[in-house]
Amino acid sequence: MREAAALLAQARRVVVFTGAGISAESGVPTFRDALTGLWRSFDARRLATPDAFRDDPALVWGWYEWRRATAGRARPNAGHVAVAAIEARVPHAVVVTQNVDDLHERAGSVAPIHLHGSLSAPRCSACARPAPLPAEPPLPDATSLSAEAPPLSGGATLRAEPPLPSGTPDEHGDGRRVAPPRCAHCAGPVRPGVVWFGEALPSAALEAAVEAASACDLLLTVGTSGLVYPAAEIPRVAARFGALVVQVNPEETPLDAVADVNLRGPAAQVLPALVRAAWGAADPA
Ligand code: BV8
Ligand code: ZN
C-alpha cells in the first residue's frame, strides 16, 4: 500500500481503468456472478450478443431493463467516490471503464470513457437512431405471461420497495421478458446502447483510451478480470509506454504479470485507503 501510495502521490497523469468489480459492493452483479431469475440458465457472454437479441429480443431487452433497474437502485460506493477524488487531485486523470452503469458519473467522475457503452443510451437496431429511454414500466409482453411469470393484476403485487426515481424501469425480482420498444422512425426494435460480443467498440472511445494509456505515468486497474479484449489491452499499452501499473482486485488475474504493485482487496476498502495514504486525511470517505 505504501509503495502504491507513493506512486499515486507523485503521479501527474493517471488512468483509472475499471471493471465490474468496482460496482460489486454497490450490489451490481459482476459478469462472473451467475445470472439469476429468468436468465439463470444463460451465460452472460451468450446473452450479450446480437444473435441472442435477434433470436429472443424480449429476453435480452428484459435482461437489460432488469440491469438498468438494478443499477438505478444502486448507489456509488466508496471505491467510485475515491476514483472521483483521485481525478480531483491529480493534474491529468482519465477514467476508462468497461462498465455500462453510471455509478462513476453519480460519484462525481468527469466524463469517464465507456468502452462498452451504457445502459442509458438505447438506439434503433435497424437505423441506429438514438431512442428515448422507456419512461413508464413496460407492460410485460404476451409471452412473459407464461407459466414462468405469476398472473399480474395491474402490476400492484410486484412493487415492494419505495417508488424508484423517474425513468428507472420497474424491473426487479426474477425479471421477465419485455418486448423492446419500436423505433419512432423505422419501427425497428430498439436495442440497448452497449457493445455486444463480436461488435466493434466505439472508435472514438477506444482511441481516447489508448491515447490516455500511452500518455499516463500511472495506471490503476480496478475490479477487472482482464479477459475481454480489446479493453484488456489498455493496462498493457500503459506498461508498454513506460507507465507504472497498480492493480486492485481481491483475486489473481492475468494482469498480475503486468502490474508493478498488486493490492489484494475489495475496491471500496482499498481505494479510500490508497487515497488516504497518498494524500493524508483529506480523503473523500
Ligand atoms: C470484438 C457490454 C471484433 C455488454 C461487454 C482476443 C483474444 C480473445 C478473444 C477476443 C480477442 N479479441 C476479441 C475477442 C472476442 C471478445 C472477447 O474478448 N472474448 C473474451 C470473452 C475471450 N471481444 C469482443 O467480442 C469485443 N468485440 O472483438 O469485435 C470486431 C472488430 C471490428 C469490427 C467488428 C468486430 C467486444 C467485447 C465487449 C463485450 N461487451 N459489456 C454488457 O455489459 O452486457 S464485456 C463485459 O464483460 C464487461 O463490459 C467487461 O468488459 C467484461 C466483464 O469483465 P470484468 O468487468 O472484468 O468483470 P468480471 O465479472 O469478468 O470480473 C470481475 C472482477 O472483479 C474479478 O476479477 C473479481 O475478482 C473482481 N472483483 C470482484 N469483487 C470485487 C472485485 N474487484 C474489486 N473489488 C471488489 N469488491
Ligand atoms: Zn430505426
Side-chain angles (χ1 to χ4, degrees):
M1 175 62 80
R2 202 192 311 280
E3 190 187 354
L7 295 177
L8 183 55
Q10 70 207 354
R12 319 300 309 148
R13 307 183 77 87
V14 171
V15 166
V16 184
F17 177 66
T18 67
I22 198 169
S23 294
E25 292 156 278
S26 295
V28 177
T30 71
F31 249 69
R32 333 203 88 210
D33 296 334
L35 296 181
T36 57
L38 180 59
W39 304 282
R40 65 187 167 284
S41 58
F42 294 89
D43 165 2
R45 288 198 187 133
R46 302 289 298 280
L47 269 182
T49 62
D51 300 353
F53 184 69
R54 192 197 50 245
D55 299 349
D56 192 339
L59 181 78
V60 173
W61 181 260
W63 183 46
Y64 282 96
E65 284 296 86
W66 182 86
R67 290 174 62 187
R68 192 161 70 89
T70 304
R73 264 195 296 274
R75 297 278 168 275
N77 62 55
H80 298 106
V81 174
V83 169
I86 291 169
E87 278 177 276
R89 283 252 174 190
V90 173
H92 303 280
V94 176
V95 176
V96 176
T97 188
Q98 300 165 80
N99 300 345
V100 292
D101 64 49
D102 61 351
L103 293 173
H104 278 303
E105 286 88 344
R106 286 157 57 193
S109 280
V110 182
I113 297 172
H114 283 268
L115 288 177
H116 296 160
S118 152
L119 288 170
S120 31
R123 66 175 188 272
C124 173
S125 60
C127 72
R129 283 189 179 87
L133 275 172
E136 291 312 311
L139 289 175
D141 67 43
T143 54
S144 71
L145 289 180
S146 64
E148 274 159 28
L152 286 181
S153 52
T157 53
L158 283 180
R159 187 185 291 281
E161 309 105 5
L164 299 167
S166 72
T168 304
D170 179 21
E171 300 299 330
H172 41 49
D174 272 1
R176 58 192 164 155
R177 279 187 168 73
V178 181
R182 291 278 160 189
C183 169
H185 302 275
C186 76
V190 170
R191 58 160 288 168
V194 301
V195 179
W196 280 329
F197 287 95
E199 293 185 324
L201 275 56
S203 51
L206 185 56
E207 276 156 32
V210 169
E211 169 58 34
S214 55
C216 73
D217 48 33
L218 177 67
L219 181 138
L220 281 178
T221 175
V222 182
T224 183
S225 56
L227 295 173
V228 172
Y229 287 81
E233 262 315 298
I234 298 294
R236 291 178 173 82
V237 169
R240 262 202 307 278
F241 280 80
L244 293 165
V245 174
V246 171
Q247 175 173 228
V248 177
N249 196 311
E251 291 175 22
E252 197 172 332
T253 77
L255 292 170
D256 279 47
V258 179
D260 301 279
V261 182
N262 280 295
L263 301 177
R264 285 266 180 273
Q269 286 166 35
V270 172
L271 289 176
L274 181 61
V275 166
R276 212 178 15 251
W279 292 296
D283 85 52

